[in-house]
Amino acid sequence: MTFGGGARDQETFAPEGQENIPHLLRELIPQASFFTQVTNQGILGHYVATASLATGVYETLNNFSAIPPEHPTVFEYFRKDLRRPASDAWVVAPSNGFNRIGESEYRSYGPGLGARVVLPKHLLSAATSGSVTDYQHLLRDNYETPFYTPRIGGEEFELQQLETILKLSVDDFKSHAKTLSSPDELSMYIVKRLMQQEAPSLLWITMHDIDIAHSGAFSLYVDAIQRTDRLCSELWKVVQSEPEYAGNTTLFILPDFGRDADQDSGGNGFQHHRTGDAASRTTWMMALGVGVREGVVYDRPMQSIDLVPSLGAMMGFSPTLSQGRPIQELL
């Protein structure tokens, strides 16, 4: 589980911010291996950074372009090496701009070997047939560049996903969506259905509510941090309650990168991630579940691209083109 534009220490792990993350602090970290120095040395844009997390290579693609990653993704390594079907790897993504995140165009991998991607906002848009008045709060697609709205076709396919894969009628989906307060809650609803109906072995969820920071409203930013904290806990509870996952699952939680420091005049503090300073590049990661030591904190530096080779070592596939290194504390 990743989320966009990680919360800074001031709003989370520093003493004055700990009230915003009660679930992470009291429920999850005591069960987890917690890594405090995870750096991202790549481009600080949400799509390109998530692509880098998924490939184990610092991708250089245009952050606002509907193109696939250049290097093979973790989903392709997983499916090719372990000969897994398409139904066993899924991505639930926050923005329509993430529609190409599931697979690269790398020769010998690429088309046909990636993950299936669910875009909850696109599902909702298709289900409402353009009548979005009651759902506008769930359909905001990009906080950083509001004018970027990628065009994605295939509404018929989206409705087929809804009914045949998620086993949801359009009316039931619309009715439940009305009870939700944010796009990430919509994503979590879809994640739970996927886990129940498909039980994929590799499931990647990326959240985006925290990126409301770009609006400049600190109260909305803190509200999103608190919601993300709650949803992390919800996901772990689902893992523990679903028979296909209970007792045999490892969960990773990490931001894609951080946010600018308050003292940097070019960054506007919590609002952006423009400067490339240490605060914007340094975040954290936790791993909990099968094979992970509980209640251990590791302060040594590591990189975000170390995630994919670590997953490969744990799950038995070889991400040969990844440039990261397996995290030895997890092996």
Side-chain angles (χ1 to χ4, degrees), residues 33-72:
S33 287
F34 186 66
F35 300 85
T36 65
Q37 298 291 321
V38 182
T39 60
N40 183 327
Q41 299 300 326
I43 299 172
L44 302 184
H46 295 299
Y47 176 55
V48 64
T50 303
S52 299
L53 285 174
T55 62
V57 178
Y58 289 125
E59 299 287 333
T60 57
L61 52 84
N62 183 340
N63 188 62
F64 300 108
S65 59
I67 59 176
E70 180 180 350
H71 300 86

Side-chain angles (χ1 to χ4, degrees), residues 55-133:
T55 62
V57 178
Y58 289 125
E59 299 287 333
T60 57
L61 52 84
N62 183 340
N63 188 62
F64 300 108
S65 59
I67 59 176
E70 180 180 350
H71 300 86
T73 64
V74 63
F75 318 109
E76 294 161 83
Y77 292 128
F78 164 73
R79 287 193 53 208
K80 184 175 183 179
D81 284 6
L82 303 183
R83 299 183 180 180
R84 303 306 302 166
S87 60
D88 212 26
W90 288 81
V91 178
V92 178
S95 165
N96 288 349
F98 280 65
N99 66 307
R100 303 296 300 277
I101 194 69
E103 65 183 28
S104 69
E105 291 184 341
Y106 194 90
R107 290 186 64 182
S108 77
Y109 288 94
L113 278 175
R116 303 176 77 170
V117 178
V118 180
L119 305 170
K121 295 177 187 179
H122 194 210
L123 274 180
L124 184 58
S125 181
T128 57
S129 301
S131 301
V132 298
T133 304

Side-chain angles (χ1 to χ4, degrees), residues 8-326:
R8 305 177 306 167
D9 281 349
Q10 293 96 314
E11 292 84 46
T12 52
F13 294 107
E16 62 269 27
Q18 291 182 2
E19 65 180 7
N20 296 321
I21 54 167
H23 298 287
L24 288 171
L25 278 179
R26 299 169 194 165
E27 297 174 21
L28 300 186
I29 288 181
Q31 303 178 62
S33 287
F34 186 66
F35 300 85
T36 65
Q37 298 291 321
V38 182
T39 60
N40 183 327
Q41 299 300 326
I43 299 172
L44 302 184
H46 295 299
Y47 176 55
V48 64
T50 303
S52 299
L53 285 174
T55 62
V57 178
Y58 289 125
E59 299 287 333
T60 57
L61 52 84
N62 183 340
N63 188 62
F64 300 108
S65 59
I67 59 176
E70 180 180 350
H71 300 86
T73 64
V74 63
F75 318 109
E76 294 161 83
Y77 292 128
F78 164 73
R79 287 193 53 208
K80 184 175 183 179
D81 284 6
L82 303 183
R83 299 183 180 180
R84 303 306 302 166
S87 60
D88 212 26
W90 288 81
V91 178
V92 178
S95 165
N96 288 349
F98 280 65
N99 66 307
R100 303 296 300 277
I101 194 69
E103 65 183 28
S104 69
E105 291 184 341
Y106 194 90
R107 290 186 64 182
S108 77
Y109 288 94
L113 278 175
R116 303 176 77 170
V117 178
V118 180
L119 305 170
K121 295 177 187 179
H122 194 210
L123 274 180
L124 184 58
S125 181
T128 57
S129 301
S131 301
V132 298
T133 304
D134 294 334
Y135 308 97
Q136 199 64 50
H137 64 295
L138 301 178
L139 294 172
R140 175 75 178 272
D141 196 60
N142 191 291
Y143 298 111
E144 187 174 5
T145 305
F147 302 107
Y148 171 65
T149 307
R151 294 183 179 182
I152 303 175
E155 286 194 0
E156 183 178 339
F157 172 71
E158 300 294 337
L159 295 180
Q160 184 182 24
Q161 274 192 334
L162 190 67
E163 296 176 344
T164 64
I165 296 172
L166 300 176
K167 302 295 192 295
L168 278 170
S169 71
V170 171
D171 287 342
D172 285 346
F173 179 53
K174 290 165 58 179
S175 177
H176 186 80
K178 283 184 179 180
T179 70
L180 304 176
S181 61
S182 84
D184 282 355
E185 290 180 324
L186 181 66
S187 291
M188 188 57 67
Y189 178 56
I190 295 299
V191 165
K192 292 176 182 177
R193 296 295 299 193
L194 263 180
M195 293 173 73
Q196 292 165 357
Q197 300 299 327
E198 293 289 310
S201 297
L202 181 56
L203 176 58
W204 187 295
I205 309 131
T206 179
M207 299 295 191
H208 213 55
D209 281 358
I210 285 178
D211 208 38
I212 192 67
H214 286 298
S215 71
F218 187 75
S219 61
L220 295 179
Y221 174 52
V222 171
D223 180 61
I225 292 170
Q226 294 170 345
R227 185 181 310 112
T228 302
D229 172 70
R230 173 174 56 81
L231 292 176
C232 287
S233 174
E234 274 189 31
L235 178 60
W236 184 234
K237 289 175 181 175
V238 173
V239 167
Q240 294 174 304
S241 64
E242 287 294 328
E244 293 284 348
Y245 292 96
N248 64 358
T249 301
T250 307
L251 173 65
F252 289 81
I253 301 173
L254 68 161
D256 54 8
F257 48 76
R259 293 205 169 262
D260 293 332
D262 285 328
Q263 62 268 26
D264 195 315
S265 60
N268 296 324
F270 77 93
Q271 189 176 356
H272 294 300
H273 39 83
R274 295 171 173 167
T275 63
D277 64 0
S280 60
R281 293 196 177 278
T282 307
T283 56
W284 49 267
M285 181 180 76
M286 68 174 67
L288 58 165
V290 172
V292 175
R293 296 178 65 191
E294 295 187 4
V296 182
V297 177
Y298 298 102
D299 291 322
R300 73 166 181 88
M302 54 174 285
Q303 295 191 59
S304 57
I305 58 172
D306 294 341
L307 175 63
V308 167
S310 302
L311 292 175
M314 296 175 76
M315 299 182 75
F317 59 86
S318 300
T320 53
L321 296 171
S322 168
Q323 296 173 4
R325 297 179 178 180

